[in-house]
Amino acid sequence: MMEYKRELHPLLETLGLIYLVKNFSSVRAECVQSLKEMEIDGEAFYKKNLSYLEKYVNEFEKKYVPDPEEDFFFGNSLEFFITVSAILIEYPELETNIDTLTGDEVLERIESFFAEEISQAAGRADFMEKPEAAAGPDAVDKLDTMERRFALIQSMDYPEETKWKLLTFMNHPLEKCRALVGILRKNRPAFEYTLERNRECLETLLSEAPRELSSVMKNLVEELAPGEITIYQTAVFPLMEWLNSKAAFQGIMTDKLYLYKKNLSDAREILPGMLKILGDKSKFEILCSLKERGKYNLEIAEELRFTPATASHHMGILLSNHFVTVEKKDGKVYYRLNSETIAEVIRYMEGVFLNYMPPHDGLTS
């Protein structure tokens, strides 16, 4: 069951604003570049729809309270930032009760958060070795030794910098979690100030924000979070769709991005973007590989000799443009070739070059 809230999540917005204070230029550049890869004029779209971000971040920076630990959490590793933010959102008691929790209790939350990854790593010889103190059938699912934590991190599909930070976070769970919550608490007033200073703009954006999840996100929710889930809007990551087991976050501009692309209904405008994606050798090879069967990200990376981060980048573009679909199986997320989109490309080519546009029920219309 999905509960749709047309409001911002204070924790994500506060942490996200800190991340943007530290990385605004690079985030803006990556956003524009990603739009260009979708065959969208990134600069024009940004100026028309995303320029509010600069005032949003600038107002927050006026009241922002720096912290010695901020570079660890809010450096240029978006994957690590998203992961630790997700842990706090998944277990709100880490924020409310952090002063009374023990290191073992914090580590238990981390173990629960990475339960599927731990289960997959449990087959490794270096993970299966149980310490003498461990007892019971669930001991193998614990991160109670440095060796197990290292084995888990090595099995994960993350860039090396993210792996190092996650390992540090797991080795010092109470210390690092207290540091992150301390940064959050110190900067909640900055968020409240920013919210008030941008209230009129944000209320307008929220009123125009998507009223339902995209079809891709709906499928992900059904596959990965079939229970009760609350959906929030996010202004700090306006084009992002992000899923946690208890909450989903939808950027307030995802609808505008979808409509922008959908309004390019003329095949002469749509087709070049599709062909550009197919013309990228790496993405083309991925789609050829998926023709055989569905595969998960690390499997694709190893087969085509990509780094996991490079494979994730390509899969993100292919997924957002409907060239692939996702399916969860055996604790892994598998990507599958979307034959409907391939058929759509053929249909558009027939329309442009053969003056024949057969009827269809595809994704882009």
Side-chain angles (χ1 to χ4, degrees):
M1 179 180 176
M2 291 186 286
E3 180 187 3
Y4 207 96
K5 290 192 174 183
R6 300 182 66 76
E7 59 187 61
L8 304 176
H9 193 289
L11 188 153
L12 179 63
E13 294 298 303
T14 303
L15 296 181
L17 282 164
I18 298 172
Y19 185 83
L20 288 185
V21 165
K22 302 287 292 181
N23 302 280
F24 188 82
S25 295
S26 61
V27 170
R28 185 190 188 284
E30 289 170 8
C31 176
V32 170
Q33 181 58 36
S34 294
L35 290 168
K36 286 181 179 178
E37 292 183 8
M38 298 179 195
E39 204 62 28
I40 292 173
D41 186 332
E43 286 292 347
F45 184 92
Y46 187 95
K47 289 177 182 178
K48 182 177 180 180
N49 298 293
L50 304 177
S51 57
Y52 77 89
L53 274 173
E54 295 187 24
K55 182 184 177 185
Y56 194 38
V57 175
N58 288 341
E59 293 290 355
F60 181 83
E61 193 169 11
K62 292 177 183 178
K63 302 292 183 178
Y64 170 59
V65 181
D67 187 276
E69 288 274 5
E70 64 185 23
D71 286 341
F72 177 77
F73 295 106
F74 305 98
N76 59 1
S77 175
L78 180 61
E79 294 90 348
F80 177 71
F81 163 73
I82 290 292
T83 300
V84 294
S85 298
I87 291 172
L88 280 191
I89 291 168
E90 185 83 3
Y91 306 102
E93 66 272 18
L94 289 178
E95 178 189 357
T96 56
N97 301 333
I98 191 61
D99 298 323
T100 58
L101 291 173
T102 66
D104 287 342
E105 288 171 330
V106 175
L107 188 59
E108 284 175 6
R109 271 70 171 184
I110 297 174
E111 290 168 345
S112 176
F113 184 83
F114 289 113
E116 286 190 7
E117 289 84 353
I118 293 173
S119 177
Q120 293 171 29
R124 295 168 59 111
D126 49 356
F127 200 94
M128 289 294 290
E129 189 68 29
K130 297 183 182 181
E132 292 181 4
D138 295 329
V140 74
D141 295 329
K142 300 295 183 182
L143 297 174
D144 47 5
T145 67
M146 171 74 82
E147 290 75 18
R148 285 186 182 168
R149 293 191 284 270
F150 184 77
L152 172 65
I153 292 299
Q154 287 301 99
S155 72
M156 287 180 165
D157 185 13
Y158 283 127
E160 289 303 314
E161 180 183 4
T162 302
K163 288 182 178 181
W164 174 80
K165 287 190 172 185
L166 276 174
L167 184 61
T168 303
F169 189 74
M170 292 176 182
N171 285 339
H172 307 281
L174 184 59
E175 174 191 340
K176 290 301 182 184
C177 200
R178 279 182 175 172
L180 180 58
V181 171
I183 295 172
L184 174 64
R185 288 174 175 175
K186 284 196 296 187
N187 284 286
R188 273 286 173 77
F191 170 64
E192 295 298 331
Y193 169 83
T194 305
L195 196 62
E196 187 59 37
R197 295 286 293 178
N198 291 268
R199 185 169 299 281
E200 183 177 348
C201 172
L202 290 172
E203 286 179 351
T204 299
L205 291 174
L206 285 169
S207 69
E208 298 173 351
R211 298 187 177 275
E212 61 179 14
L213 291 175
S214 68
S215 58
V216 172
M217 195 64 172
K218 282 181 180 177
N219 290 336
L220 283 173
V221 169
E222 291 173 1
E223 289 284 345
L224 306 180
E228 292 188 3
I229 190 166
T230 304
I231 301 158
Y232 294 90
Q233 303 291 325
T234 171
V236 75
F237 295 115
L239 300 180
M240 178 184 78
E241 289 183 310
W242 172 35
L243 175 65
N244 216 15
S245 70
K246 296 180 181 177
F249 299 90
Q250 186 170 37
I252 57 177
M253 289 295 169
T254 53
D255 222 18
K256 290 188 182 295
L257 178 60
Y258 170 75
L259 291 173
Y260 187 96
K261 295 171 67 177
K262 185 177 177 64
N263 287 337
L264 299 176
S265 57
D266 190 313
R268 289 178 180 271
E269 295 181 82
I270 295 174
L271 188 59
M274 289 179 156
L275 293 180
K276 182 175 181 180
I277 292 172
L278 292 174
D280 181 280
K281 188 174 186 302
S282 296
K283 296 179 182 65
F284 183 82
E285 291 296 336
I286 290 172
L287 293 175
C288 288
S289 173
L290 295 179
K291 181 177 68 172
E292 304 169 5
R293 60 180 174 82
K295 298 175 182 178
Y296 54 93
N297 191 69
L298 188 58
E299 187 178 8
I300 294 168
E302 291 175 348
E303 177 183 331
L304 300 178
R305 297 183 179 180
F306 298 150
T307 65
T310 298
S312 295
H313 170 73
H314 289 310
M315 297 316 301
I317 293 172
L318 291 172
L319 181 62
S320 65
N321 285 275
H322 304 286
F323 279 94
V324 296
T325 60
V326 294
E327 176 187 6
K328 188 176 182 183
K329 182 180 178 183
D330 299 328
K332 296 179 181 177
V333 176
Y334 283 80
Y335 295 95
R336 300 189 183 279
L337 181 68
N338 188 346
S339 58
E340 290 184 2
T341 300
I342 302 300
E344 195 78 344
V345 173
I346 296 171
R347 174 180 174 270
Y348 284 137
M349 292 184 69
E350 289 178 331
V352 170
F353 299 112
L354 302 178
N355 295 319
Y356 171 64
M357 190 74 77
H360 72 103
D361 56 355
L363 294 168
T364 314
S365 60

